[in-house]
Amino acid sequence: QVQLVESGGGLVQAGGSLRLSCAASGLTVSSYAMGWFRQAPGKERELVARIHWIGGITYSADSVKGRFTISRDNAKNTMYLQMNSLKPEDTAVYYCAADSRLGRIVAGTADYWGQGIQVTVSS
């Protein structure tokens, strides 16, 4: 049974940093495409960043480029999202997701999802 468990969210002031973790069980993060998504109240869920199992190739949305970094630790079977220079508009519930097919991460239709974790950035 696959489980993805997010941690590291919370309340932070604008300009601050947080690191989200996504601990995986039942799958190997180095063999899956994985991504971080977020959904703010009244808005659609959006892809924030993704990492491919081939070479660990990464992609970040323009809205977070240069501020957020996606990575993974194969030994810990965990994916991370380092978030720096946080802005109030980054406030959302953040989800990690995994799928054997990169296209499903891109489309937001991944097979496996975490429960979500709240990130709140105060101004």
Side-chain angles (χ1 to χ4, degrees), residues 2 13-14 27 31 34 47 57 68 83 86 92 115 118 122:
V2 174
Q13 288 189 331
L27 61 80
S31 299
M34 300 191 70
L47 175 62
I57 296 172
F68 291 11
M83 305 185 293
L86 282 160
Q115 79 284 359
Q118 179 70 46
S122 63

Side-chain angles (χ1 to χ4, degrees), residues 24-34 53 74 77:
S25 59
L27 61 80
T28 302
V29 299
S30 60
S31 299
Y32 277 72
M34 300 191 70
W53 70 86
N74 296 338
N77 211 33

Side-chain angles (χ1 to χ4, degrees), residues 57-72:
I57 296 172
T58 63
Y59 159 87
S60 298
D62 288 344
S63 58
V64 305
K65 200 163 291 184
R67 300 188 298 122
F68 291 11
T69 302
I70 188 172
S71 64
R72 67 184 182 212

Side-chain angles (χ1 to χ4, degrees), residues 4 8-9 13 20 22 25 41-42 53 57-58 71 75-78 84 90-91 95 97 106 121:
L4 302 175
Q13 288 189 331
L20 302 183
C22 174
S25 59
W53 70 86
I57 296 172
T58 63
S71 64
K76 294 183 178 180
N77 211 33
T78 299
N84 299 327
D90 294 318
T91 295
Y95 300 88
V106 174
V121 184

Side-chain angles (χ1 to χ4, degrees), residues 42-120:
K43 295 188 176 181
E44 292 188 356
R45 185 175 60 196
E46 64 170 338
L47 175 62
V48 175
R50 57 173 166 85
I51 185 165
H52 198 270
W53 70 86
I54 298 177
I57 296 172
T58 63
Y59 159 87
S60 298
D62 288 344
S63 58
V64 305
K65 200 163 291 184
R67 300 188 298 122
F68 291 11
T69 302
I70 188 172
S71 64
R72 67 184 182 212
D73 185 327
N74 296 338
K76 294 183 178 180
N77 211 33
T78 299
M79 176 178 67
Y80 301 98
L81 185 68
Q82 178 66 44
M83 305 185 293
N84 299 327
S85 302
L86 282 160
K87 305 175 181 180
E89 51 263 43
D90 294 318
T91 295
V93 176
Y94 284 71
Y95 300 88
C96 65
D99 202 287
S100 60
R101 292 154 286 189
L102 179 62
R104 286 201 163 195
I105 292 291
V106 174
T109 58
D111 279 343
Y112 308 110
W113 293 85
Q115 79 284 359
I117 193 163
Q118 179 70 46
V119 171
T120 303

